[in-house]
């Protein structure tokens, strides 16, 4: 079952609107797909391409998450804020520009979300508004909610500057629980390392769900490829994801992965950190192993 709604908020376009494209927002694969389809639809109708705004993205991701976690569907969030207020709270100049929001629930694909909006006059008015130049997109999933998948798209008339900090808590946090001991190996020998992180946020970790999967990534430096010790990893900078399909708030997520000792004897340090790819790095607990090669 699917549901959608839209709200068009027409405000005077500010002549002094900033014209610097946002450069730091991160969309997961489904959000990026919706952006591509929305811009293709607008281009086919002779409308300006929408630029991703960090601030609008933060507002949209927060709204999608809030609806999924708290199991409701409305333009007014349960804290009483309107879309314009949420955008402004995220740092977007919503009260000085055109601003609008489209929501959808129950759809699993971006194609179906856009199709639902196109077939709704109110949504179509938002999609075809020539005053819009910026967009933020968010989606979230909660297995215990009525609609499962929730989507939010926030539109704005101004292309704002990138922001370096989110005004909202995106709901992903962790703390250290336990790890396996430092290994001592012969050259070329393999062993398994284990890490446990507590989910201290209010969002669950869903293995295999883009934007909601928890991984451990290489650290010091972040995302550095570890060709020297990687063995069967998801990638050279992603040793593992959770061993269970779901880790709820307050639960402990376990990560297990193999390493292979380098051929040259010595000591090697492997630092890792939790990450929700496409959303945020988790708190740095300073986790590392000292690998001794005999």
């Amino acid at each position: 079952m699917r549901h959608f709604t839209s709200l068009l908020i027409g405000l005077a376009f500010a002549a002094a609107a900033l014209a610097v494209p946002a450069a730091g927002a991160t969309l997961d694969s489904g959000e990026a797909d919706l952006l591509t389809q929305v811009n293709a639809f607008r281009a086919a109708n002779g409308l300006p391409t929408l630029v991703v705004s960090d601030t609008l993205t933060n507002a949209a991701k927060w709204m999608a998450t809030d609806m999924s976690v708290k199991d409701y569907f409305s333009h007014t969030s349960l804290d009483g804020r309107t879309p314009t207020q949420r955008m402004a709270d995220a740092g977007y100049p919503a009260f000085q520009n055109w601003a609008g929001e489209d929501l959808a629930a129950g759809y699993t694909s971006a194609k179906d979300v856009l199709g639902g909006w196109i077939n709704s006059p109110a949504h179509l008015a938002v999609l075809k508004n020539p005053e819009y130049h910026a967009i933020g997109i968010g989606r979230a999933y909660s297995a215990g909610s009525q609609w499962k998948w929730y989507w939010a798209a926030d539109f704005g008339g101004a292309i704002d500057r990138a922001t370096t900090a989110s005004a909202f808590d995106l709901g992903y946090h962790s703390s250290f629980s336990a790890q396996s001991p430092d290994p001592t190996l012969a050259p070329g020998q393999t062993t398994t390392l284990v890490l446990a992180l507590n989910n201290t946020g209010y969002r669950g970790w869903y293995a295999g769900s883009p934007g909601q999967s928890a991984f451990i990534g290489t650290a010091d430096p972040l995302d550095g490829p570890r060709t020297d010790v990687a063995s069967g990893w998801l990638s050279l900078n992603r040793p593992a994801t959770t061993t269970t399909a779901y880790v709820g708030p307050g639960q402990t997520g376990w990560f297990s992965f193999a390493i292979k000792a380098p051929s040259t004897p010595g000591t090697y340090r492997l630092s890792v950190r939790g990450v929700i790819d496409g959303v945020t790095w988790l708190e740095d607990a300073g986790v590392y192993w000292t690998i001794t090669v005999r």
Side-chain angles (χ1 to χ4, degrees), residues 214-247:
F215 299 86
I216 50 172
T218 55
D220 195 23
L222 287 177
D223 276 339
R226 292 304 302 266
T227 56
D228 55 339
V229 296
S231 177
W233 293 7
L234 301 175
S235 68
L236 292 177
N237 57 8
R238 289 292 180 274
T241 187
T242 51
T243 58
T244 56
Y246 174 71
V247 180

Side-chain angles (χ1 to χ4, degrees), residues 5-11 42 75 83-84 87 97-103 121-132 153-157:
T5 185
S6 80
L7 180 64
L8 173 63
I9 310 163
L11 299 169
R42 285 175 63 88
H75 283 288
T84 311
M87 295 179 208
N97 294 280
W98 283 82
E101 179 174 84
D102 275 355
L103 302 178
H123 293 78
L124 189 60
V126 176
L127 292 171
K128 297 182 70 173
N129 189 332
E131 301 292 349
Y132 291 138
D154 287 339
F155 300 79

Side-chain angles (χ1 to χ4, degrees), residues 62-111:
W62 183 92
M63 186 56 179
T65 299
D66 201 57
M67 290 190 296
S68 69
V69 171
K70 299 177 181 176
D71 196 11
Y72 72 96
F73 190 74
S74 170
H75 283 288
T76 301
S77 49
L78 292 187
D79 58 11
R81 292 183 301 162
T82 64
T84 311
Q85 186 62 60
R86 291 193 305 272
M87 295 179 208
D89 288 346
Y92 186 78
F95 288 107
Q96 294 78 42
N97 294 280
W98 283 82
E101 179 174 84
D102 275 355
L103 302 178
Y107 293 88
T108 58
S109 73
K111 178 181 179 181

Side-chain angles (χ1 to χ4, degrees), residues 45-68:
N45 286 273
L47 297 167
T49 296
L50 301 175
V51 175
V52 176
S53 160
D54 283 7
T55 51
L56 290 179
T57 297
N58 285 335
K61 284 179 178 288
W62 183 92
M63 186 56 179
T65 299
D66 201 57
M67 290 190 296
S68 69

Side-chain angles (χ1 to χ4, degrees), residues 1-286:
M1 185 174 291
R2 299 164 178 174
H3 195 49
F4 51 83
T5 185
S6 80
L7 180 64
L8 173 63
I9 310 163
L11 299 169
F13 183 82
L18 298 171
V20 179
T26 301
L27 305 181
D28 69 26
S29 59
E31 294 161 351
D33 188 13
L34 183 57
L35 172 67
T36 298
Q37 297 201 37
V38 166
N39 273 333
F41 173 79
R42 285 175 63 88
N45 286 273
L47 297 167
T49 296
L50 301 175
V51 175
V52 176
S53 160
D54 283 7
T55 51
L56 290 179
T57 297
N58 285 335
K61 284 179 178 288
W62 183 92
M63 186 56 179
T65 299
D66 201 57
M67 290 190 296
S68 69
V69 171
K70 299 177 181 176
D71 196 11
Y72 72 96
F73 190 74
S74 170
H75 283 288
T76 301
S77 49
L78 292 187
D79 58 11
R81 292 183 301 162
T82 64
T84 311
Q85 186 62 60
R86 291 193 305 272
M87 295 179 208
D89 288 346
Y92 186 78
F95 288 107
Q96 294 78 42
N97 294 280
W98 283 82
E101 179 174 84
D102 275 355
L103 302 178
Y107 293 88
T108 58
S109 73
K111 178 181 179 181
D112 289 341
V113 170
L114 181 62
W117 287 346
I118 291 173
N119 291 323
S120 165
H123 293 78
L124 189 60
V126 176
L127 292 171
K128 297 182 70 173
N129 189 332
E131 301 292 349
Y132 291 138
H133 299 275
I135 189 173
I137 298 174
R139 68 168 183 166
Y141 177 85
S142 177
S145 64
Q146 179 181 2
W147 302 104
K148 311 302 183 188
W149 279 103
Y150 296 79
W151 302 72
D154 287 339
F155 300 79
I159 300 174
D160 62 332
R161 294 183 184 273
T163 180
T164 57
S166 171
F168 295 119
D169 179 2
L170 296 177
Y172 289 116
H173 300 281
S174 71
S175 65
F176 175 80
S177 177
Q179 70 180 97
S180 53
D182 291 339
T184 298
L185 306 170
Q189 183 181 358
T190 61
T191 192
T192 298
L193 300 181
V194 177
L195 172 66
L197 296 177
N198 297 320
N199 181 355
T200 57
Y202 64 79
R203 293 191 62 172
W205 302 343
Y206 295 86
S209 176
Q212 298 185 106
S213 299
F215 299 86
I216 50 172
T218 55
D220 195 23
L222 287 177
D223 276 339
R226 292 304 302 266
T227 56
D228 55 339
V229 296
S231 177
W233 293 7
L234 301 175
S235 68
L236 292 177
N237 57 8
R238 289 292 180 274
T241 187
T242 51
T243 58
T244 56
Y246 174 71
V247 180
Q251 297 179 347
T252 299
W254 292 86
F255 304 83
S256 177
F257 61 97
I259 61 166
K260 183 177 181 179
S263 58
T264 303
T267 58
Y268 300 80
R269 177 168 169 149
L270 172 62
S271 299
V272 298
R273 182 174 173 182
V275 60
I276 310 295
D277 274 338
V279 181
T280 185
W281 285 91
L282 301 177
E283 285 79 0
D284 187 357

